Amino acid sequence: MSEIRRTISLLKLYRSQLTSQQFRTLCGQAKNGDTAGALKGLVKLTRGVSENAEKTEWDAEWATAM
């Protein structure tokens, strides 16, 4: 339960960078126990916010997995 609370607290810090639907979706994932998925989604969504965000090896692995 504490992991869910920590994840939601982290999501609240990024609330201004997310749309309301994105925020609600990520909170719903966290509340249902998929905290890893919520954090992964947060990383993916917030990396796209900055135009100067560097592509990393993780991005390449994620793109090929889709």
Side-chain angles (χ1 to χ4, degrees):
M1 186 64 139
S2 64
E3 186 176 343
I4 293 171
R5 286 187 185 140
R6 279 184 278 165
T7 303
I8 291 174
S9 296
L10 181 64
L11 291 173
K12 286 181 182 179
L13 294 174
Y14 288 93
R15 188 177 206 164
S16 64
Q17 296 179 14
L18 302 170
T19 65
S20 61
Q21 185 61 51
Q22 290 169 334
F23 178 75
R24 288 187 305 205
T25 299
L26 295 174
C27 281
Q29 276 186 299
K31 288 177 184 177
N32 284 321
D34 187 13
T35 56
L39 293 175
K40 190 173 186 179
L42 178 64
V43 168
K44 186 157 179 73
L45 291 170
T46 55
R47 280 195 178 168
V49 171
S50 172
E51 292 180 17
N52 297 327
E54 294 182 21
K55 295 285 183 183
T56 63
E57 208 172 287
W58 185 84
D59 291 328
E61 290 173 11
W62 176 258
T64 57
M66 298 293 265

